[in-house]
Amino acid sequence: MDMFDWGGWAVAIGSGLIGAALVWGLSASARPTAVRKGHVCYLTYGWPVKCLAISLVPFAILFVYAMAHAPARQIAMAFVVTVAFLAITIFVNYQIFFVKFGYDRNKIYFSSPFLRNASVPWDHLEFVGHSHLVQADFMEVSGIGRIWCSSFLNGYDELGLFLERKADALLTPGS
């Protein structure tokens, strides 16, 4: 691309702005409170996020088709891009449709096809961090592993406030 091809620059800037607006919209569509079942708060994804996740599947199929028809000199790059897009599609759809995460004052509840159901007390929480690669927060919990917490989750804000209060209670002597 020519550095002075303003049409190319406009497309690049425009696509960046569209992507940023999409991420903002998905984050803004998340409700601040979690779904409650009894005393447990469950973090869930709303329909806009689920629609986006499902829409990745036909694009993944299109990537496979394009890779299969790539010229011989481009097959290695097409393979790498296709595998990366397939991995992202599988990871996103797995997290959105198959992983369930909830909590109450005493325990963390988690279920997934690989781990099945687990419930552990909060003292199993080892670390809370943020992944710049995945652009999501996470919690490391012994007995469960890494729990991803995207800002697209309904209840994400409520979980943040809960964790702040939980940390204050753990750090304050005599509480």
Side-chain angles (χ1 to χ4, degrees):
M1 180 165 93
D2 182 14
M3 289 292 282
F4 299 104
D5 180 8
W6 293 103
W9 281 98
V11 170
I13 291 170
S15 63
L17 290 172
I18 289 169
L22 178 67
V23 168
W24 176 85
L26 290 173
S27 189
S29 74
R31 292 187 314 265
T33 56
V35 173
R36 286 179 170 52
K37 291 184 182 171
H39 63 282
V40 180
C41 299
Y42 285 97
L43 281 73
T44 59
Y45 288 98
W47 67 267
V49 177
K50 290 179 179 178
C51 288
L52 178 66
I54 290 170
S55 73
L56 291 176
V57 174
F59 284 108
I61 293 167
L62 183 64
F63 270 60
V64 171
Y65 176 81
M67 180 194 69
H69 293 84
R73 68 183 186 283
Q74 296 176 347
I75 197 74
M77 180 58 77
F79 178 79
V80 168
V81 170
T82 301
V83 167
F85 194 81
L86 282 171
I88 290 168
T89 300
I90 291 167
F91 175 77
V92 166
N93 279 280
Y94 176 78
Q95 287 293 319
I96 291 172
F97 293 106
F98 298 105
V99 173
K100 302 212 181 333
F101 164 56
Y103 64 94
D104 63 16
R105 289 181 24 193
N106 303 314
K107 289 186 176 183
I108 300 168
Y109 303 92
F110 186 84
S111 73
S112 74
F114 294 118
L115 187 62
R116 302 288 180 221
N117 294 326
S119 62
V120 298
W122 276 102
D123 62 2
H124 283 67
L125 179 65
E126 297 174 344
F127 182 74
V128 175
H130 179 79
S131 169
H132 293 288
L133 178 64
V134 179
Q135 287 298 300
D137 296 324
F138 62 89
M139 300 186 321
E140 291 283 345
V141 181
S142 63
I144 293 177
R146 185 168 284 185
I147 300 174
W148 292 100
C149 301
S150 167
S151 63
F152 300 163
L153 282 163
N154 295 325
Y156 174 81
D157 295 342
E158 186 177 21
L159 174 65
L161 292 172
F162 176 83
L163 288 173
E164 285 177 18
R165 288 191 305 268
K166 196 71 155 162
D168 286 345
L170 291 171
L171 295 174
T172 305
S175 58

